[in-house]
Amino acid sequence: MPEYAKMPVIDNPNRQWPSGQLSLNPAWCAVDLRDGNQALPNPMTPDQKKEYFKLLLDIGFKEIEIGFPSASEDDFNFCRTLIDENLIPDDVTISVLTQSRSHLVSRTIEAVKGAKNVVIHAYIATSDLHMKYVFNMTRSEVIETAVNTTLQIKEESRSLVQTGSRIGYEFSPEEWSDTDMDFGIEICEKVAEAWGFEKNNKIIINLPMTVERRMPNEFADMVEIFLNKYKYRKDSVISVHVHNDMGCAVAATTLAVKAGADRVEGTLLGHGERTGNLDLITLAMNFKYLGINTGLDFSNLPAIVSKIEEITGINVHPRHPYSGELVFTAFSGSHQDAINKGFTQKENLIKAFKGWKIPYLHIAPDDIGRSFEKFIRINSQSGKGGVAFVLNNEFNIVMPKWVQKDFASVVQNYTDKHHRELNPAEVKNLFDGAYINSDANLSLVNYWPLPDEKNPEIIHAKAEVRYRGEVHSLMAEGNGPISALVNALKKIDEISGFTLEDYFEDSMGHSADAEALCFVSIKNSSGKQFIGGGIHANVIIAASRAIVNSINKMLS
Ligand code: KIV
Ligand code: ZN
């Protein structure tokens, strides 16, 4: 690895931003159709762009950069389509990008004729790296170019203003985070002076981290210094535009907003050159989590994500914050157990913490259109809590702790053998196989539990059972229908050596016709445990089935 050039130190000893509050909602500008699209292996077709534009509107974006019309016919035509087909709502501002080059400006202005609210966005790189080694220009030549471009845009857009368009201006000193601080301020001031100041249509000064070469705190320091020194702070909207080369775009943008930035640019899922731009979804959801009303609606995030995947041809990583398939999923047993416990005490937790808080879950899945069903998934890492959660959540099956423990080992044995995740239906099949559908060595043909005429606490059992093909009529008594049946069954010599250890019953759901689910645990003469389950609308039948199933397990 080469030794990398050191970035100049940013000296900001009196920084205030660390204690700045994230309480204000910045303006949100989506640059998917320009920065995002230009970085796609297969750029969007005109129809896809229209669809994407609509998606951005549906989410609630009011500022959308729609392209680089002087760079391609496609982008030019797309601008025209949106304007000519009247597809831009009155409260939405579109912006178009242009390099600071004279012949490109005219084409850009032509592209936006007739639009109601437009921002012309001009940029020129201001880092020494670019000015010297890419453009071969001096600092004053770069300032002159930026100022001349600004004046040209102002002049040429006059006719649009006369025909009723509201024309705003955005200037980006590209590579700003690698630009000398004073020079960056100087060029922005000169550009702002050239454009002029209008109270209700402020110039946007967009500060890009074109290549992420600095840590988020340094970027925040730079933004704070800029805001303190730049003469026209009150007359300008200060925007940030961060790329994600070091994976910190969300952090850098967050800290820049803490430092005072008014506006953020980015893309959904972070599409953009190389490792992409700031992911607007992550930032907006983080802000929402912090209690800020962003005005952006991600309540149907799975649909948004699949639309973007379809249009861009790039799949989102399953662990991508908020948007990935696995963001709420727990495979590990201890996590599943904690989530399960959190959910069963949800109301208490909300009271105790004065707000939604569940172990291992960052936000409430339904806030982004995810349901609770699928986020505990079962594989060989899963424990009893996860398995219990899936059966309860998907099939209304409540298991007592002693069944949970037993069933976890059934699932573990299976997943260890098959080395793959189980879906809920497979978990249910295993459950049925383990407790409900056991081998029929013994089956109950009829059972009449009758209370004693004199003492109703005594139950007389009359049972007809088939055991290894032979029907037996059995009579016994007990202090309840279950113990009476157990006593009757013990009359068959071969199965008499068991003892009833545990019993549990619950209803499968809350409606009046919900079935009962019973579990019985018995031990054989050498102390080995066997658990059986039974389901029926009648709780006594459900319990009888559970007893028979537990004995069948012992026999097999
Ligand atoms: O990344 C960048 O610097 C840009 C500018 C054109 C704003 O996309
Ligand atoms: Zn960019």
Side-chain angles (χ1 to χ4, degrees):
M1 254 172 118
E3 195 175 312
Y4 293 98
K6 298 268 173 302
M7 295 296 281
V9 171
I10 304 296
D11 189 24
N12 188 24
N14 299 321
R15 63 180 62 80
Q16 299 297 311
W17 63 260
S19 47
Q21 285 303 306
L22 266 180
S23 54
L24 290 179
N25 181 30
W28 301 81
C29 177
V31 298
D32 303 60
L33 291 162
R34 193 274 300 173
D35 217 348
N37 186 44
Q38 79 189 33
L40 291 178
N42 300 311
M44 298 177 209
T45 63
D47 280 347
Q48 287 177 323
K49 277 193 195 165
K50 260 198 203 173
E51 227 183 318
Y52 206 112
F53 183 71
K54 164 126 189 1
L55 178 73
L56 294 170
L57 295 181
D58 289 347
I59 292 169
F61 285 99
K62 300 295 176 201
E63 296 184 41
I64 302 175
E65 191 167 81
I66 59 169
F68 197 157
S70 63
S72 78
E73 276 301 299
D74 260 12
D75 271 21
F76 185 91
N77 293 337
F78 179 61
C79 284
R80 293 306 332 153
T81 307
L82 290 189
I83 298 163
D84 295 339
E85 292 182 12
N86 221 355
L87 298 175
I88 309 164
D90 285 353
D91 63 345
V92 170
T93 300
I94 53 159
S95 64
V96 282
L97 185 75
T98 175
Q99 282 178 342
S100 297
R101 297 170 81 177
S102 172
H103 66 290
L104 301 180
V105 168
S106 312
R107 180 88 173 140
T108 309
I109 305 271
E110 204 186 321
V112 294
K113 254 187 208 148
K116 194 155 189 242
N117 297 302
V118 188
V119 165
I120 313 284
H121 177 186
Y123 74 98
I124 189 165
T126 51
S127 63
D128 288 336
L129 177 67
H130 252 74
M131 289 188 297
K132 196 157 175 201
Y133 297 95
V134 181
F135 303 152
N136 193 19
M137 283 169 92
T138 63
R139 286 185 180 185
S140 45
E141 284 169 334
V142 169
I143 291 184
E144 196 184 332
T145 307
V147 167
N148 287 341
T149 304
T150 306
L151 292 172
Q152 187 189 349
I153 291 171
K154 189 173 174 180
E155 180 56 34
E156 292 188 17
S157 61
R158 242 185 260 282
S159 61
L160 304 191
V161 176
Q162 278 156 9
T163 53
S165 298
R166 181 173 187 270
I167 305 292
Y169 184 50
E170 174 174 351
F171 173 68
S172 291
E174 193 190 9
E175 292 234 290
W176 176 75
S177 56
D178 193 16
T179 294
D180 172 76
M181 268 315 304
D182 291 337
F183 175 60
I185 291 166
E186 185 187 353
I187 192 169
C188 290
E189 286 176 348
K190 294 259 165 67
V191 164
E193 284 158 8
W195 181 256
F197 302 100
E198 216 185 304
K199 201 162 169 249
N200 295 322
N201 193 9
K202 291 180 179 177
I203 183 171
I204 300 168
I205 298 293
N206 184 43
L207 305 175
M209 179 119 82
T210 306
V211 177
E212 197 179 26
R213 300 188 205 271
R214 287 190 177 280
M215 298 308 288
N217 61 311
E218 295 175 298
F219 186 68
D221 273 340
M222 287 188 74
V223 170
E224 186 169 276
I225 293 169
F226 186 93
L227 289 170
N228 287 337
K229 288 195 175 169
Y230 170 70
K231 273 196 252 170
Y232 307 114
R233 199 279 164 259
K234 287 212 164 60
D235 306 302
S236 314
V237 170
I238 304 301
S239 173
V240 289
H241 174 116
V242 177
H243 281 263
N244 198 36
D245 301 81
M246 299 201 297
C248 302
V250 170
T253 308
T254 307
L255 299 192
V257 172
K258 251 169 112 77
D262 307 308
R263 179 180 181 272
V264 300
E265 291 190 356
T267 59
L268 301 178
L269 298 174
H271 284 295
E273 297 284 10
R274 310 178 304 281
T275 53
N277 287 50
L278 160 78
D279 172 18
L280 289 169
I281 300 176
T282 303
L283 190 74
M285 287 310 304
N286 284 353
F287 276 36
K288 185 172 171 168
Y289 173 73
L290 296 170
I292 297 166
N293 179 5
T294 63
L296 301 175
D297 180 2
F298 292 108
S299 60
N300 64 343
L301 192 52
I304 293 172
V305 170
S306 55
K307 178 59 57 198
I308 301 169
E309 288 183 330
E310 178 198 315
I311 292 178
T312 60
I314 296 178
N315 288 342
V316 62
H317 193 283
R319 300 205 189 277
H320 192 110
Y322 300 103
S323 303
E325 192 203 336
L326 296 178
V327 298
F328 297 112
T329 303
F331 285 107
S332 114
S334 62
H335 288 209
Q336 294 180 342
D337 192 46
I339 293 174
N340 192 19
K341 286 179 178 147
F343 263 102
T344 35
Q345 304 172 77
K346 195 166 87 188
E347 301 312 323
N348 290 343
L349 292 184
I350 289 174
K351 248 192 232 146
F353 294 99
K354 300 187 173 51
W356 198 99
K357 203 171 189 184
I358 296 278
Y360 297 114
L361 290 188
H362 166 48
I363 59 161
D366 54 359
D367 254 5
I368 52 172
R370 300 283 293 266
S371 59
F372 289 133
E373 305 131 36
K374 297 282 180 308
F375 62 79
I376 287 190
R377 289 174 42 179
I378 304 302
N379 67 12
S380 58
Q381 307 297 306
S382 311
K384 56 183 179 358
V387 173
F389 185 89
V390 167
L391 284 180
N392 185 3
N393 207 52
E394 302 258 341
F395 304 104
N396 279 323
I397 291 174
V398 174
M399 296 184 287
K401 287 251 154 38
W402 42 273
V403 181
Q404 286 183 20
K405 199 166 153 242
D406 186 72
F407 187 49
S409 63
V410 173
V411 172
Q412 179 91 43
N413 283 344
Y414 187 90
T415 48
D416 275 349
K417 248 187 237 146
H418 293 82
H419 305 290
R420 64 172 179 83
E421 188 190 346
L422 299 184
N423 64 36
E426 291 173 306
V427 176
K428 171 74 165 42
N429 273 343
L430 281 183
F431 173 83
D432 288 344
Y435 305 114
I436 308 294
N437 312 323
S438 51
D439 290 346
N441 275 321
L442 176 72
S443 60
L444 199 59
V445 181
N446 273 312
Y447 175 44
W448 299 268
L450 297 169
D452 187 85
E453 277 172 16
K454 290 199 190 117
N455 180 358
E457 284 186 5
I458 297 176
I459 302 290
H460 298 280
K462 201 174 139 199
E464 216 172 80
V465 300
R466 180 172 287 111
Y467 176 61
R468 299 205 201 261
E470 204 177 304
V471 176
H472 299 250
S473 283
L474 308 168
M475 312 265 281
E477 56 182 57
N479 55 9
I482 292 157
S483 67
L485 177 63
V486 166
N487 293 340
L489 291 170
K490 283 184 172 191
K491 303 245 153 138
I492 300 175
D493 277 352
E494 284 173 56
I495 56 178
S496 61
F498 74 91
T499 46
L500 181 67
E501 289 288 315
D502 248 317
Y503 172 78
F504 172 89
E505 70 181 46
D506 196 34
S507 95
M508 295 175 74
H510 303 291
S511 63
D513 54 359
E515 291 186 302
L517 167 65
C518 295
F519 292 102
V520 159
S521 162
I522 58 170
K523 278 195 175 152
N524 67 7
S525 48
S526 38
K528 196 164 179 234
Q529 184 193 36
F530 301 92
I531 296 174
I535 297 173
H536 198 272
N538 178 326
V539 69
I540 294 178
I541 301 180
S544 315
R545 288 183 177 175
I547 294 166
V548 168
N549 283 334
S550 63
I551 294 171
N552 275 326
K553 274 180 75 176
M554 177 178 77
L555 294 170
S556 64

